[in-house]
Amino acid sequence: MRFMLLFSRQGKLRLQKWYVPLGDQEKRRLGRELVQTILGRKAKMCSFLEWRDLKVVYKRYASLYFCCAIEEQDNELITLEVIHRYVELLDKYFGSVCELDIIFNFEKAYFILDEFLLGGEAQETSKKSVLKAIEQADQLQENIDFQMRLFPVAGRHSQKASSELVSQSELVSQSELVSQSELCLPVLVLVLNQGLDGVLVPNMASESSGLFQN
């Protein structure tokens, strides 16, 4: 399989998975051309068609088209079964899947596809095995989210502790400055007694006004 596309009747891409290395511009061009080709076909026409040097297999489910591009030697009926199995997995996971489920939970749709297909080939045909792997991944994600919700609480505690340490260090520095100003007072008094005017005694404690904002 070269790629898989999911698009609506209005031609809006809802999911795309490419198994060949192509540039973004080339992907958009091929996707737009193929979508227009399929939407231009009548409902009673065959679901297989030859397109460029590939064979295209598509099937419509409700408002969504599922389309796969395969090699010339690949089997169209097997590809059609792959599409149907993917739709069954989506329906089993979401429960009566619709287009909105794909739009708002596209990461789940990609994950289900990756569990089902690997490199464009079916790696697991059992629906139970695929759904079990998805359930385990969801449980792991829930555990990670739960731990992430705990981290901000620990972060606030650590920030509070660090602010307390900074406040203590500021108090120590202020006390040192006050003690230094007390040592300077006798010298200044001695100078004033000798008749020198215009000497001001600085307020050392008021100048050390460092603030810590959380």
Side-chain angles (χ1 to χ4, degrees), residues 149-190:
R149 286 195 295 269
L150 294 179
F151 287 156
V153 177
R156 286 195 296 270
H157 286 305
S158 62
Q159 186 177 7
K160 182 179 179 181
S162 62
S163 63
E164 291 177 354
L165 290 175
V166 172
S167 299
Q168 292 176 2
S169 63
E170 288 178 350
L171 291 175
V172 172
S173 62
Q174 290 178 1
S175 63
E176 291 177 353
L177 290 174
V178 171
S179 61
Q180 292 176 3
S181 63
E182 292 176 350
L183 292 174
C184 293
L185 284 176
V187 178
L188 292 173
V189 171
L190 180 60

Side-chain angles (χ1 to χ4, degrees), residues 55-121:
K55 290 188 295 186
V56 174
V57 180
Y58 70 93
K59 188 172 178 63
R60 176 182 170 183
Y61 291 87
S63 61
L64 279 179
Y65 284 86
F66 291 73
C67 169
C68 293
I70 58 177
E71 303 284 349
E72 292 183 357
Q73 65 272 14
D74 292 337
N75 192 300
E76 298 92 337
L77 296 177
I78 294 178
T79 306
L80 198 62
E81 183 63 27
V82 167
I83 293 176
H84 186 68
R85 179 54 56 92
Y86 181 50
V87 174
E88 288 180 339
L89 290 171
L90 292 174
D91 190 73
K92 189 71 174 178
Y93 180 79
F94 291 107
S96 186
V97 65
C98 64
E99 185 177 353
L100 291 177
D101 293 325
I102 306 297
I103 295 174
F104 293 107
N105 301 280
F106 62 91
E107 73 282 355
K108 298 295 184 182
Y110 276 109
F111 184 76
I112 294 173
L113 182 61
D114 291 338
E115 287 291 329
F116 178 43
L117 297 179
L118 179 63
E121 302 291 340

Side-chain angles (χ1 to χ4, degrees), residues 18-37:
W18 298 81
Y19 299 105
V20 291
L22 293 174
D24 293 338
Q25 185 175 0
E26 182 69 12
K27 290 179 181 179
R28 288 193 295 268
R29 187 178 64 83
L30 292 178
R32 182 170 56 252
E33 181 180 343
L34 184 56
V35 168
Q36 293 175 354
T37 301

